[in-house]
Amino acid sequence: MPEIKLNCPLPLQYEQIVMAHGGGGRLMQQLLDSLIQPVFSNPLLNQKHDSAILNVNGSRLAFTTDSYVVKPLFFSGGDIGKMAVCGTLNDLAMSGAKPLYLSCALIIEEGFPIKDLQRIVESMQQAAQQAGVLIVTGDTKVVDHGSGDGVYINTAGIGLIGENVNVLPANIQVGDSIIINSDIARHGIAVMLEREGMNFDSSITSDCADLSGLVQDLLQTGIEIHCMRDLTRGGLASCLIELAATSHHAIEISEAALPVHQDVNSACEILGFDPLYIANEGCFALFVPKAQTEQALSALHRHPLGQQACRIGEVKAAHPRGAVTLQTAMGISRVLDLLSGEQLPRIC
């Protein structure tokens, strides 16, 4: 009898793409791990970093790309243009790179107002100028009316990594302190309130910001930075779960240490959202040796985007699959897991 071989290269739960596949949660991770990552697999991609790190003629370059489909296009604290520039700058910064150049690709729906497009590209240029980078290449496409949602933006970026800078998920070590630079969940709530026309009698604004200057200040202090990751889709929890799995470590964070703006926390309680899983656009997690915790906090506090910086937890032990636990205010240990998708879709 001939040998029967079963071939199941795509162990996915769905035959078609659903919104959750782009939400930064479990379904997106399954899509990447089961389909996209195996097809494109190579040593640079398999680092699972925010940017690919390329060795070119003795220099190390960081290269990254991202796409933005936020709805609405304009919201309190930012817009799709500012987010597209800052998001790509932040991905470069998380690799320890100084951003140099960006690209801009626009996919515009027929009928989109020219005045809104001008507002968006001017916002992009302002953000780029403030960061000291140039938008040097791009592309523009127009799709039929009803085939898009106003405008989508893709940006790619190139940055230069300095000597002795080695920031990678694989460098996370037992005992590392985990620090974040700002309060969490503000961006996702700001976008959601704008989208749904809700008025909570509050002034919640997105934290959308370029973190590259803050990161460069940190690097110049000589702090031994093991890893950095910006807390975008899926929020703080998803970020830490992914890093724990990639680095094969157990991570523990403290609920009491997490900074959440009072208005944001109130909105989450009313709407039933968990701020741990809500996206940010100006907040990142930093892994440093425990002995350098105070030095790192001091450096962060000197920068406007780091004045709320605090230590939220530590890397506890090696773990074959990675694990993240939250010590609640009641003293209960809660295991954090990836959500299927995203609490708030289309927020970046």
Side-chain angles (χ1 to χ4, degrees):
M1 182 176 180
E3 181 182 1
I4 298 175
K5 293 183 178 180
L6 298 179
N7 184 14
C8 184
L10 305 177
L12 303 177
Q13 298 176 357
Y14 298 83
E15 294 183 356
Q16 295 178 330
I17 293 294
V18 297
M19 286 295 292
H21 281 123
R26 181 176 300 282
L27 289 188
M28 180 175 171
Q29 201 61 51
Q30 287 178 353
L31 182 68
L32 294 175
D33 292 343
S34 301
L35 193 157
I36 297 174
Q37 188 89 20
V39 173
F40 294 141
S41 181
N42 63 71
L44 297 175
L45 181 66
N46 295 344
Q47 291 176 347
K48 295 187 177 182
H49 208 357
D50 279 335
S51 303
I53 298 176
L54 315 174
N55 292 294
V56 181
N57 295 330
S59 296
R60 287 189 302 152
L61 300 178
F63 176 46
T64 191
T65 186
D66 209 342
S67 299
Y68 298 85
V69 298
V70 65
K71 183 180 182 179
L73 301 175
F74 306 97
F75 48 86
S76 180
D79 55 66
I80 191 173
K82 178 182 179 182
M83 188 190 307
V85 170
C86 291
T88 296
L89 294 175
N90 292 346
D91 281 347
L92 293 172
M94 296 303 101
S95 300
K98 179 178 176 57
L100 299 176
Y101 304 107
L102 299 179
S103 72
C104 168
L106 303 171
I107 300 175
I108 311 166
E109 184 181 9
E110 181 184 21
F112 189 70
I114 292 291
K115 64 179 180 62
D116 287 345
L117 181 61
Q118 181 171 0
R119 179 180 171 187
I120 288 167
V121 296
E122 287 178 350
S123 179
M124 295 183 74
Q125 176 64 2
Q126 181 180 11
Q129 282 184 328
Q130 290 175 347
V133 302
L134 297 174
I135 298 174
V136 296
T137 190
D139 181 51
T140 302
K141 295 290 191 299
V142 176
V143 297
D144 298 335
H145 180 69
S147 298
D149 203 355
V151 61
Y152 302 142
I153 301 178
N154 174 273
T155 45
I158 295 176
L160 183 64
I161 302 175
E163 294 183 7
N164 302 319
V165 175
N166 187 26
V167 180
L168 288 168
N171 291 341
I172 292 174
Q173 298 178 15
V174 174
D176 278 356
S177 286
I178 305 169
I179 296 169
I180 59 175
N181 67 301
S182 185
D183 59 298
I184 61 172
R186 243 190 316 129
H187 171 74
I189 293 297
V191 171
M192 188 275 298
L193 294 179
E194 192 82 32
R195 179 190 300 166
E196 303 301 330
M198 295 181 179
N199 183 2
F200 277 58
D201 293 325
S202 67
S203 55
I204 299 174
T205 61
S206 168
D207 63 343
C208 183
D210 164 32
L211 296 167
S212 61
L214 172 57
V215 170
Q216 288 300 309
D217 286 354
L218 273 174
L219 292 170
Q220 290 172 12
T221 65
I223 295 168
E224 185 183 344
I225 299 174
H226 290 160
C227 186
M228 293 182 285
R229 180 65 58 89
D230 55 339
L231 312 177
T232 53
R233 280 180 300 178
L236 172 65
S238 297
C239 160
L240 295 181
I241 292 165
E242 291 170 5
L243 289 176
T246 301
S247 66
H248 307 293
H249 282 94
I251 288 173
E252 182 180 278
I253 60 174
S254 168
E255 183 179 44
L258 298 176
V260 183
H261 192 281
Q262 183 176 348
D263 288 345
V264 171
N265 193 57
S266 297
C268 287
E269 289 181 350
I270 292 171
L271 298 169
F273 295 137
D274 188 340
L276 283 169
Y277 291 91
I278 295 178
N280 312 268
E281 288 292 337
C283 188
F284 74 105
L286 170 70
F287 291 73
V288 298
K290 187 174 183 178
Q292 297 184 13
T293 302
E294 293 305 319
Q295 184 183 358
L297 287 171
S298 178
L300 287 164
H301 290 157
R302 290 194 292 268
H303 193 282
L305 296 177
Q307 291 178 354
Q308 298 182 74
C310 58
R311 181 181 183 275
I312 63 166
E314 66 178 294
V315 180
K316 299 295 288 187
H319 191 289
R321 295 179 302 278
V324 179
T325 56
L326 173 75
Q327 292 298 315
T328 70
M330 300 285 292
I332 300 170
S333 182
R334 166 191 166 195
V335 177
L336 300 182
D337 200 359
L338 290 174
L339 302 181
S340 292
E342 192 168 39
Q343 294 182 109
L344 302 173
R346 300 284 300 277
I347 41 71
C348 63

